[in-house]
Amino acid sequence: MNIDKLCMRYLRQELFLAVGLFLLTLFVMQVWFIDGLLIPAVVSVFFTLVVSAVIGLVWRRVAKCSPESLPTFFTAVSGFRMLLALAMMFIYYLAYGRSAMLLFFVVFMAFYFVSLAHHSIFFARVSNRS
């Protein structure tokens, strides 16, 4: 199993998913004339890419140095990602107020769940192969 190659594949797939969702959000914004989707989409794509990059690089390090710690890593990543998402929503609430939260929450959760599903499927397949 080539860990570096798998790490790059994970990062590339996350990039494609994030950009695809961003473009879909822009499309929805143009078709249904929903103002205010741009900032939530930019924040969501930034969050998704940063968290995915950190997870991918840390996974590569753990898989190379101590593969027996991978189950603990996956558990910690789930909690860490959720806490970061809650912190991001709180920061957005402080910055933009209550009136903008519903739209942000919908967009952000779409990015969050797609990224979470990709993470689960990708690493389940990697774990089953090894």
Side-chain angles (χ1 to χ4, degrees):
M1 181 167 69
N2 189 352
I3 294 171
D4 291 325
K5 190 175 178 181
L6 288 172
C7 178
M8 292 311 293
R9 183 184 306 158
Y10 174 75
L11 294 175
R12 186 173 48 249
Q13 289 174 358
E14 278 287 335
L15 176 67
F16 290 152
L17 283 172
V19 170
L21 279 174
F22 182 73
L23 293 175
L24 181 65
T25 304
L26 292 179
F27 178 74
V28 166
M29 193 171 116
Q30 292 297 316
V31 170
W32 283 287
F33 304 108
I34 301 174
D35 292 333
L37 278 182
L38 186 61
I39 292 174
V42 169
V43 170
S44 299
V45 78
F46 178 75
F47 176 84
T48 301
L49 291 176
V50 169
V51 169
S52 299
V54 169
I55 289 171
L57 296 174
V58 171
W59 172 80
R60 180 176 65 182
R61 174 104 172 130
V62 170
K64 284 182 175 181
C65 296
S66 60
E68 66 277 351
S69 300
L70 283 174
T72 305
F73 167 76
F74 292 130
T75 304
V77 162
S78 296
F80 180 69
R81 182 191 309 245
M82 185 182 66
L83 289 176
L84 281 177
L86 290 173
M88 180 61 70
M89 287 188 284
F90 181 69
I91 291 168
Y92 192 86
Y93 174 76
L94 291 177
Y96 291 97
R98 185 176 181 177
S99 61
M101 276 308 292
L102 180 62
L103 198 55
F104 175 75
F105 181 77
V106 169
V107 172
F108 188 76
M109 283 297 113
F111 278 83
Y112 180 83
F113 285 128
V114 167
S115 177
L116 186 64
H118 173 255
H119 173 86
S120 300
I121 292 167
F122 183 86
F123 287 115
R125 287 183 179 170
V126 168
S127 295
N128 287 340
R129 285 188 208 156
S130 61

